[in-house]
Amino acid sequence: MDVSPISTYAGYPAAHPAGCPDGADALVGLSFSNGRGGDSSNLRTLSLRSGDTLTMSWTGLADGCESPTGDALVAVSLVVYRTQQTHFDMFTDETLVDHVSWTANGAGQLVVQVPTMEDLGGGCFVQIDAVIGAPLVTVGPNGTYYSAVLRNDNGPDNLISAANFDTDCAVPQTPTTPVPPVTETPAPPTTEAPAPAPEVVETPTPEVVETPTTEAPAVEAVAAAATPTTVAPVTTVAPVETVAPATTAPIEVLGINVTRAQPVNGASSLPRTGVASGLLAAIGAALLGAGALVRRSGTKLENS
């Protein structure tokens, strides 16, 4: 039975023997292990990472997948592909990296090493397929598919199980003697000196010369003792009848010059009506009283 990788996709896949079921039903007692204690009947639920040893096992072939003499009528393959993402994308090509196949009847076992980034030529993502028949060189739009649904035909479904994952883009390194960690003494925090404050140039304040204030002496309230001014009562002098000036020499009466009237046109020296001597005496007394009053007030009375 030829299990060489298929690169010519016309006529793929060949029909299964009559009575041999599709996919995982073609195997009995199927299981997968990762070499680290993990086991599953489905690759998608198995934990896988770079460097794992993946083992696929089964206990026999289903009825119709073997000849009456016990020969296997189908091959079983475990195939590794390099992909471009962590999930399957039918519009992206996956390229063959590694594969193993089994053509014997009865129980069987296939083992592959989960590739590292170096094994993938710098790639980071992996898909592993368990299939019926020979492996495909390319899975994708430029090749074909193991699943009848993706091929959209009436041929058999050759996909048993599959898993997609990444390799973390790291190659496992050879263990080395661990170096004790170096404890670094933290450097004391650097205290930055505060920036010097800008020098403030003080403008001298002009000196204020205070003019001494002369306090006004307290004014003592002094009760001004007003000296009462005694005003002598003014004696009302009866108006003196105006006598026409005489041209004769004055006659002194009681210290007062009295001008005696001269007769006019040969008339007598006394007016026609006559002036009583008593009147002259009264006038003299009045003038004497007025002179005394003036002397008391300090005022000099002059008569002309």
Side-chain angles (χ1 to χ4, degrees):
M1 181 184 305
D2 186 10
V3 290
S4 299
I6 299 171
S7 57
T8 301
Y9 308 109
Y12 177 86
H16 284 195
C20 181
D22 292 348
D25 293 337
L27 301 177
V28 177
L30 178 65
S31 67
F32 300 93
S33 65
N34 58 18
R36 296 181 286 110
D39 295 282
S40 177
S41 60
N42 189 332
L43 276 175
R44 295 193 183 281
T45 62
L46 181 65
S47 172
L48 291 173
R49 63 189 184 192
S50 296
D52 281 350
T53 300
L54 173 62
T55 302
M56 173 184 177
S57 303
W58 62 96
T59 58
L61 297 175
D63 293 342
C65 297
E66 293 180 333
S67 68
T69 58
D71 295 329
L73 300 178
V74 294
V76 180
S77 298
L78 194 57
V79 192
V80 179
Y81 291 94
R82 179 175 57 246
T83 65
Q84 300 179 36
Q85 58 277 322
T86 57
H87 60 277
F88 174 75
D89 181 1
M90 67 175 296
F91 301 106
T92 302
D93 287 334
E94 301 174 351
T95 55
L96 181 66
V97 175
D98 190 16
H99 72 95
V100 289
S101 298
W102 183 274
T103 59
N105 62 339
Q109 187 178 78
L110 296 172
V111 179
V112 295
Q113 198 77 20
V114 177
T116 64
M117 180 181 66
E118 186 178 45
D119 298 331
L120 297 174
C124 295
F125 308 103
V126 176
Q127 176 172 309
I128 298 180
D129 293 332
V131 299
I132 299 295
L136 296 171
V137 171
T138 301
V139 173
N142 292 311
T144 189
Y145 305 94
Y146 294 110
S147 171
V149 173
L150 296 180
R151 292 193 312 266
N152 193 26
D153 61 24
N154 295 323
D157 189 352
N158 285 1
L159 183 65
I160 297 173
S161 189
N164 295 80
F165 56 96
D166 64 79
T167 64
D168 297 328
C169 292
V171 179
Q173 299 182 358
T174 304
T176 57
T177 303
V179 178
V182 177
T183 303
E184 295 183 0
T185 303
T190 302
T191 303
E192 296 184 0
E199 181 179 357
V200 178
V201 179
E202 296 184 358
T203 303
T205 304
E207 182 179 358
V208 179
V209 179
E210 296 183 359
T211 303
T213 303
T214 303
E215 295 183 0
V219 178
E220 296 181 359
V222 179
T227 304
T229 302
T230 303
V231 179
V234 178
T235 303
T236 303
V237 180
V240 179
E241 183 181 353
T242 303
V243 180
T247 59
T248 61
I251 299 173
E252 183 177 356
V253 180
L254 298 177
I256 300 175
N257 293 327
V258 178
T259 303
R260 181 174 181 165
Q262 296 298 324
V264 178
N265 297 324
S268 64
S269 58
L270 294 174
R272 291 181 182 275
T273 58
V275 179
S277 61
L279 176 60
L280 293 176
I283 293 172
L287 292 176
L288 181 62
L293 177 61
V294 171
R295 281 194 298 268
R296 280 197 304 270
S297 62
T299 304
K300 183 179 180 182
L301 177 64
E302 291 182 1
N303 297 281
S304 61

